[in-house]
Amino acid sequence: MNTLISTASSTFATTIGFAWTDVIDFVGVMIKLLIGAGLGVLQSTLPWVIVLTIIGVIVGLLYGAFRFFRRA
């Protein structure tokens, strides 16, 4: 099994021109970039998310209060 893996790794490196470790490093950097960009967007929109959540809670409470008075 080890010979098969080493043959596949060397064939991959010969065909593509770089080793598996380079591919793994590149993908790791791209994943970190994607996660960082997503967290950056979340951080920049966090005030809007908080405000919309507060407005939603207030509207929900008012809706529940008016439904209570309508039943009575």
Side-chain angles (χ1 to χ4, degrees):
M1 189 65 149
N2 288 336
T3 3
L4 183 63
I5 292 172
S6 66
T7 304
S9 297
S10 64
T11 306
F12 178 82
T14 305
T15 305
I16 302 298
F18 41 86
W20 278 109
T21 55
D22 297 335
V23 174
I24 292 171
D25 290 340
F26 176 75
V27 170
V29 167
M30 290 297 122
I31 289 174
K32 289 176 187 174
L33 180 65
L34 180 70
I35 291 173
L39 289 174
V41 168
L42 179 65
Q43 183 181 5
S44 65
T45 59
L46 192 59
W48 287 102
V49 171
I50 292 172
V51 166
L52 290 175
T53 304
I54 291 171
I55 290 173
V57 167
I58 291 171
V59 167
L61 290 173
L62 287 174
Y63 178 75
F66 283 123
R67 282 186 60 197
F68 174 76
F69 287 123
R70 190 176 72 190
R71 287 185 197 170

